[in-house]
Amino acid sequence: MSEFFNIEPTEPGNGTNTKQNAVNTPNAAPLMRDLGEEDKPREKASRLGIDSLTDTELLALLLGSGSTGKSVLELSREILADCNGRLRVLSRMSIAELKKKYKGVGTAKATLLVAAMTFGSRVQASQAIEDPQMRSSEDVHAFMRPKLASLNHEEFWVLHLNRANRVMFAERVSKGGTSSTAVDIKLIAKSAIDHIASGLIVVHNHPSGTMNPSAPDDALTRRIAEICKIIDIPLQDHVIIGPSTYYSYRDNGRL
């Protein structure tokens, strides 16, 4: 990894009748409160801490109840198995997709799941310090991953840097489809001049997870680098972000 340029220094029921009815009703959806003590994630979290819960148990807490003839833990296992145990797959599903794909997941449950995933992403993004310093491609990845890694479409961003390689302004300049997005290089140059940037880093994502740059990626990088030379604002890197890793043009000796 190479460095960049030198820088200046549901509430439960009330009473036993409700529970008795839920248990005795044929084909009733098993509720969290109907599970044995050893199967209740909430009680386990209280005793051992939230980190003691498995992914299945955490998902069960969010779902709250199962579907007809299926406990909430069984429903959670089914959903995670369908995603091959990969939480990022689940995190990219929309409310409509969750409702359509999983029996027992209605509007309320699907909305809660999507809200939880989005909230977690925002918490991660909020942990970034103000005006973070981009000392390497790893810093770029850490800063931009919360914004790009879980998207189903491509976006192209420009980081405007000051003389100390701190991000003065992060700008999304394009939003496209699943495999490409159009970028107006003239607008990038104008924005860099307007922000009096001392350097630029461009970033975009590959939702497919393929990290090798495409021929259009290479051509776009060359054109941006050329116009950056003309306006005397160096292009310090072009970083491609995937769901779990990234690619840096500078690290690979291509800038």
Side-chain angles (χ1 to χ4, degrees):
M1 178 177 64
S2 62
E3 295 184 350
F4 296 144
F5 297 159
N6 291 333
I7 56 176
E8 294 181 357
T10 312
E11 298 298 324
N14 50 2
T16 57
N17 290 338
T18 302
K19 180 175 181 179
Q20 189 68 31
N21 290 337
V23 173
N24 292 336
T25 301
N27 296 324
L31 302 176
M32 187 75 77
R33 64 175 179 267
D34 298 325
L35 299 174
E37 286 299 318
E38 70 280 2
D39 294 325
K40 293 182 178 179
R42 185 177 293 111
E43 282 69 19
K44 180 179 176 181
S46 296
R47 293 195 321 269
L48 304 175
I50 198 70
D51 287 339
S52 68
L53 300 187
T54 64
D55 291 344
T56 299
E57 291 168 331
L58 286 170
L59 181 56
L61 273 180
L62 291 172
L63 292 173
S65 63
S67 60
T68 302
K70 185 178 298 181
S71 76
V72 65
L73 286 171
E74 290 173 320
L75 177 59
S76 299
R77 291 189 194 100
E78 176 186 302
I79 292 173
L80 290 175
D82 185 60
C83 297
N84 293 320
R86 294 182 293 176
L87 295 181
R88 68 175 180 84
V89 174
L90 180 60
S91 73
R92 295 167 72 170
M93 290 187 187
S94 66
I95 293 173
E97 287 174 315
L98 288 166
K99 290 170 58 180
K100 181 179 180 180
K101 198 164 189 178
Y102 303 114
K103 183 178 179 180
V105 177
T107 300
K109 290 179 181 177
T111 303
L112 182 59
L113 284 181
V114 172
M117 297 292 185
T118 303
F119 189 75
S121 178
R122 291 184 182 181
V123 168
Q124 186 177 3
S126 71
Q127 292 175 343
I129 61 172
E130 291 187 6
D131 303 328
Q133 192 173 46
M134 300 294 105
R135 295 160 296 188
S136 66
S137 60
E138 185 177 351
D139 290 335
V140 178
H141 178 246
F143 179 61
M144 292 300 299
R145 185 178 187 279
K147 298 178 177 65
L148 297 175
S150 64
L151 298 181
N152 288 319
H153 60 272
E154 283 201 10
E155 292 188 358
F156 196 95
W157 288 64
V158 177
L159 306 184
H160 300 268
L161 310 177
N162 65 14
R163 290 178 61 83
N165 272 18
R166 293 192 177 277
V167 178
M168 301 186 298
F169 185 66
E171 176 183 26
R172 185 179 69 185
V173 298
S174 178
K175 177 180 177 180
T178 58
S179 60
S180 66
T181 182
V183 177
D184 191 326
I185 298 176
K186 295 187 297 294
L187 290 181
I188 292 177
K190 181 180 183 303
S191 184
I193 294 170
D194 289 345
H195 286 94
I196 319 177
S198 294
L200 295 183
I201 296 174
V202 295
V203 187
H204 82 282
N205 61 312
H206 278 182
S208 67
T210 301
M211 287 295 92
N212 290 329
S214 64
D217 290 339
D218 291 343
L220 178 61
T221 303
R222 287 193 298 270
R223 292 170 61 200
I224 294 176
E226 289 169 0
I227 200 167
C228 281
K229 288 180 181 178
I230 293 173
I231 62 176
D232 197 25
I233 300 175
L235 177 64
Q236 301 213 16
D237 205 350
H238 181 176
V239 176
I240 301 172
I241 304 240
S244 59
T245 187
Y246 68 96
Y247 178 95
S248 162
Y249 274 79
R250 178 166 292 277
D251 290 356
N252 284 274
R254 303 184 63 189
L255 264 182

